[in-house]
Amino acid sequence: MTLQSKAPRSRLDPEPMARRDWLGLSSLWTMGAALMFGVVGMLRLPKAAVLASPSKKFKVALPETLPAGEAFVPPGRAVAVYRDAEGIFAVSTICTHLGCVVKANAEGFECPCHGSRFHADGTVSRGPAPRALPWLKVQVSGGVVMVDEGTTVPSGTKVA
Amino acid sequence: MNPASTQNNALREFVDNLKSAPRRMYETAFRGGAPTTDRSRSTFVFGNVFLHLHAVRTHRWSLKWTTTVGLGIMSLSAFLITLVTGVLLMFYYKPSPEAAYASIKDIHFVVPTGRLIRNLHRWAANLMVVAVILHMARAFYTGAYRPPREYNWLIGIGLLVTTLGLSFTGYLLPWDQLAYWAITIGANIAQSPREVTDALGITEYFDPGGLQRLLLLGSDTVGAEALIRFYLLHVMILPLALAALMGVHFWRIRKDGGMVRPADADERLSKMKQGETYPVFTEAPNKTYQLAAVVRGKTAVVGRGPENTVPSMPHLFYAELGVMMLTLLACVALSMVSDAPLKELANPSVPENPAKAPWYFLGLQEMVSFSAFMGGIGIPAIVLAGLALIPYLDREKEGTGEWFGGPGGWRLVKLSMLIGFGAPLAIESFAIRFGWLREWFPKIPQLIVTAINPATILTAVYALYSIWCIRRYGSARSGALGLFTCFLCGFLLLTIIGTYFRGPNWVFYWSPSEWPKH
Ligand code: HEM
Ligand code: FES
């Protein structure tokens, strides 16, 4: 028939694609695409939808005798709480470099991990920390201070 | 026939079979017989599933100890030791923040032989990192990355990254102070692209750093989710990846024709003593070319016998066994004299001071102490990309298989070592003495510090030096030689500074004895 009329071909000299090859190939690619989308969809698995993290708000009672400019660090928290004439404020003590907990000292804060230093208001005095330590939201009611580690406020915000 | 005698015969046959069962069992397991002739030595190799990745005969050049220094097999042996001891540790280790620390303590102090197993695991892991880095240097300096071995060089880089990943994830499992703060820092390095996106103000819309951290920790704090992820990586994902990559690595070695050797290796070897080699094809080989004509690419050598080769059994295998035994011996000896460390239980509110990463990351920690993103992600990515590009940029042929590429190479390497050690020494001394941009201009935009800091300057100096090498010696090989040597020296120097000269608050001290006591 028609096929025989063509010159014989070798494997090194392929025919133009036949119709059924086209159909076969396109179904193969369809399967490949479906598999790919399925797998990519499943790759969402490691990204948790709900984060089980403890509450970021906590209450703290400041010692009556806390001198102005001296940090009070509630046990187990990475926050320094201060009280001065203008009011109460809280500075996060999580280093903005790579997350170590900074320690309050006479000038402000120092980080043990890569040597960042901060002034008492949280601004960087020595690298590598790229940003100032954030100030945290504070509410005061009846002598009890409520700090919200999850909400930052502009630095300088003090609550009377 | 008489039924009674048939029964007797059958019984006798049964008894005979029973008697000869042990011998037959032995014979069916070791089919080839004792490997005494060329033929039985060959069967010994290809008849054994574990050995048959090797060629039946090995070129004498590959067996010179200066060819490989045994470093590949040493990496493999160290991996096998960690594999066995790691599985044993899994009997007792519990991957949860409440139990992990206590279970390591149990392994160390209560479990029979637990301390030895734990020490062996630690030491073999450390040795593996050393061996893999040296092995990469050996492959580089003998030009083993050149065609046809480019692909295996890439696989090798995969092996290097996986090895470092395994070591790091393992460091985190004891959940002591070192572990906790290493995870914290590691996860925040993953997040450090924010240093750039924050500076550009686009973090809200495009935050790859935050996503990486979330994927690593499985939560926004370092806790149970993070530990189980690192555990999964350490005991399943990375070992499987490593094993798969190793399979490809070994297969490629075989397919690429064994160890790299100089083009004139045969002539040079014939000057050496002949030993056991003899013509393998005693008549002119009579292979036909028909098969070779249809197969594309390199095919088996036709028209030449496998001269200058010796049977892999025993020559290669005894050498490999020797390296394995030495590795095991070294690990056992080190485990006897030095215990794996275990600090206090993790305390999320007080970092270890100084909080040091495992030793092979202290060079990184040194760079990170200038810029988190550049030191932790930017420069490592540049180095890996540079390593991966080496075989594609240096397409020369001369000096392949020769240490340092033959005459003149060693001189260039010595010069590069001068630059490689000198440049970071000068830059570090300056930064330690005078500080850096943030101290001089506290308000300077972070992007400038990210772009211009001791680590990036060092990288730039190295790159310029290697370009100078290319122009000076008129060869890409010289540039590669210069750059690789520089990076190796820089890695070594920064690691030494991070290990011995950085104390509490990452302050420079001449010796740990000067560290302030708390
Ligand atoms: C887990 C890590 C690794 C293991 C177990 C391993 C194992 C081996 C072994 C057993 C050999 C045979 C020769 C020898 O002993 O040197 C070899 C050769 C080779 N390896 Fe690796 N290797 C590892 C990592 C790497 C790395 C990081 C690189 C480079 C980036 C690399 C590149 C090469 C190359 C190019 C060869 C061929 C050498 C030649 O032909 O002379 N390998 N490897
Ligand atoms: S984490 Fe504070 S300086 Fe690096």
Side-chain angles (χ1 to χ4, degrees):
Chain A
M1 279 190 350
T2 46
L3 268 180
Q4 272 146 2
S5 67
K6 284 191 188 148
R9 290 168 187 279
S10 79
R11 270 211 309 143
L12 299 180
D13 178 19
E15 310 181 30
M17 192 186 289
R19 184 176 307 178
R20 59 170 180 276
D21 286 355
W22 189 85
L23 285 175
L25 274 179
S26 53
S27 59
L28 246 166
W29 277 104
T30 314
M31 188 181 83
L35 267 177
M36 193 188 76
F37 279 111
V39 168
V40 168
M42 279 193 294
L43 281 183
R44 288 171 51 217
L45 178 141
K47 185 169 180 280
V50 179
L51 302 180
S53 49
S55 166
K56 305 231 172 223
K57 291 186 187 169
F58 64 93
K59 288 188 183 137
V60 52
L62 287 187
E64 291 297 328
T65 55
L66 186 69
E70 187 163 312
F72 176 74
V73 179
R77 297 283 173 178
V79 174
V81 189
Y82 293 88
R83 178 163 56 203
D84 64 13
E86 292 154 52
I88 295 172
F89 59 99
V91 181
S92 158
T93 58
I94 295 177
C95 185
T96 53
H97 180 227
L98 290 175
C100 287
V101 175
V102 299
K103 214 172 80 194
N105 64 13
E107 291 95 51
F109 304 95
E110 61 188 14
C111 181
C113 290
H114 314 96
S116 287
R117 303 265 167 81
F118 304 87
H119 298 294
D121 65 353
T123 50
V124 184
S125 63
R126 210 192 114 146
R131 275 171 290 112
L133 296 173
W135 287 40
L136 301 175
K137 188 174 170 196
V138 175
Q139 284 163 308
V140 184
S141 60
V144 177
V145 181
M146 166 95 99
V147 182
D148 180 359
E149 283 179 293
T151 315
T152 58
V153 294
S155 55
T157 315
K158 300 182 182 177
V159 180
Chain B
M1 231 199 241
N2 162 349
S5 90
T6 323
Q7 277 171 0
N8 264 342
N9 277 345
L11 208 58
R12 198 168 314 123
E13 208 173 298
F14 175 77
V15 172
D16 281 347
N17 283 351
L18 196 63
K19 276 197 206 147
S20 53
R23 181 178 53 80
R24 291 221 166 103
M25 256 183 213
Y26 180 85
E27 279 171 4
T28 45
F30 302 94
R31 286 157 196 252
T36 45
T37 63
D38 257 23
R39 184 161 169 209
S40 51
R41 282 170 169 178
S42 302
T43 344
F44 187 82
V45 180
F46 64 67
N48 180 304
V49 64
F50 300 107
L51 297 180
H52 85 284
L53 261 185
H54 294 87
V56 163
R57 300 181 69 84
T58 305
H59 197 278
R60 278 169 59 223
W61 190 272
S62 310
L63 289 172
K64 277 161 40 111
W65 78 272
T66 46
T67 304
T68 63
V69 204
L71 288 164
I73 293 295
M74 192 183 291
S75 317
L76 174 67
S77 320
F79 175 64
L80 292 179
I81 298 175
T82 54
L83 204 65
V84 173
T85 51
V87 169
L88 291 175
L89 290 174
M90 283 175 75
F91 274 78
Y92 289 100
Y93 177 75
K94 303 180 189 69
S96 85
E98 295 80 38
Y101 185 74
S103 67
I104 297 277
K105 239 178 165 171
D106 279 350
I107 289 171
H108 200 102
F109 293 107
V110 182
V111 173
T113 74
R115 183 186 307 205
L116 179 67
I117 298 295
R118 173 162 186 253
N119 290 351
L120 273 174
H121 196 71
R122 243 332 140 105
W123 276 114
N126 278 318
L127 199 73
M128 185 171 166
V129 174
V130 178
V132 169
I133 292 174
L134 290 180
H135 168 67
M136 174 174 75
R138 176 314 265 177
F140 175 81
Y141 285 122
T142 54
Y145 54 82
R146 287 180 172 168
R149 297 182 176 77
E150 308 102 308
Y151 183 64
N152 216 10
W153 174 260
L154 294 184
I155 296 291
I157 292 171
L159 283 167
L160 175 73
V161 173
T162 318
T163 304
L164 291 177
L166 266 169
S167 282
F168 184 64
T169 49
Y171 194 73
L172 311 174
L173 299 182
W175 209 251
D176 60 351
Q177 276 287 71
L178 284 178
Y180 183 88
W181 293 101
I183 299 195
T184 306
I185 292 176
N188 283 319
I189 286 180
Q191 194 187 35
S192 68
R194 277 202 185 163
E195 192 177 312
V196 177
T197 52
D198 274 349
L200 298 174
I202 55 172
T203 306
E204 215 179 307
Y205 318 103
F206 176 68
D207 183 17
L211 180 66
Q212 288 191 64
R213 181 185 146 98
L214 188 61
L215 288 185
L216 266 185
L217 295 186
S219 157
D220 56 356
T221 51
V222 177
E225 298 293 336
L227 182 53
I228 202 105
R229 278 180 192 214
F230 282 107
Y231 180 68
L232 178 67
L233 280 170
H234 188 74
V235 306
M236 284 301 292
I237 298 177
L238 293 177
L240 284 180
L242 196 74
L245 284 171
M246 268 190 202
V248 180
H249 198 60
F250 300 156
W251 168 254
R252 282 312 320 166
I253 294 173
R254 175 79 189 278
K255 290 283 132 180
D256 294 338
M259 296 298 93
V260 66
R261 58 178 172 268
D264 58 350
D266 286 327
E267 286 87 83
R268 280 205 252 168
L269 279 175
S270 64
K271 283 190 228 123
M272 300 159 49
K273 68 174 188 321
Q274 270 286 301
E276 234 189 290
T277 61
Y278 42 81
V280 175
F281 292 169
T282 42
E283 306 166 17
N286 237 340
K287 289 195 188 173
T288 69
Y289 285 82
Q290 272 169 4
L291 190 61
V294 292
V295 181
R296 292 247 230 107
K298 282 189 82 159
T299 56
V301 189
V302 179
R304 197 156 68 89
E307 311 304 353
N308 251 328
T309 60
V310 290
S312 300
M313 170 71 205
H315 297 274
L316 176 60
F317 295 152
Y318 280 20
E320 292 185 347
L321 201 63
V323 174
M324 289 195 164
M325 283 163 64
L326 275 181
T327 313
L328 184 61
L329 184 73
C331 289
V332 173
L334 287 165
S335 304
M336 303 287 244
V337 296
S338 156
D339 278 349
L342 185 63
K343 295 273 178 173
E344 295 81 27
L345 176 64
N347 177 352
S349 41
V350 183
E352 181 78 7
N353 191 2
K356 292 202 178 185
W359 63 267
Y360 39 85
F361 282 146
L362 286 180
L364 277 189
Q365 192 168 354
E366 184 63 30
M367 295 202 293
V368 158
S369 79
F370 302 116
S371 156
F373 174 69
M374 268 305 165
I377 295 188
I379 291 176
I382 292 175
V383 171
L384 284 180
L387 284 177
L389 279 177
I390 286 176
Y392 303 98
L393 298 183
D394 165 20
R395 314 277 305 163
E396 288 161 31
K397 297 221 164 51
E398 210 173 316
T400 303
E402 202 107 41
W403 272 89
F404 310 115
W410 175 232
R411 259 193 47 224
L412 178 59
V413 170
K414 277 194 289 188
L415 175 67
S416 311
M417 275 160 75
L418 211 65
I419 308 281
F421 284 124
L425 208 59
I427 298 171
E428 280 277 334
S429 313
F430 178 86
I432 288 169
R433 178 75 184 74
F434 299 107
W436 202 251
L437 292 167
R438 177 72 61 196
E439 283 101 291
W440 309 330
F441 317 104
K443 295 251 167 331
I444 195 167
Q446 180 58 29
L447 270 187
I448 298 184
V449 184
T450 304
I452 305 178
N453 62 58
T456 54
I457 291 180
L458 183 61
T459 315
V461 169
Y462 284 170
L464 288 178
Y465 168 72
S466 83
I467 290 172
W468 176 83
C469 281
I470 296 178
R471 294 197 47 181
R472 169 76 177 69
Y473 299 98
S475 102
R477 166 70 173 163
S478 308
L481 216 52
L483 194 62
F484 188 86
T485 310
C486 279
F487 271 121
L488 222 51
C489 296
F491 169 78
L492 198 66
L493 191 93
L494 292 182
T495 305
I496 291 175
I497 294 183
T499 310
Y500 295 108
F501 296 101
R502 292 295 192 177
N505 294 352
W506 210 244
V507 170
F508 180 87
Y509 290 97
W510 283 109
S511 102
S513 60
E514 294 171 16
W515 292 10
K517 305 268 176 294
H518 11 221

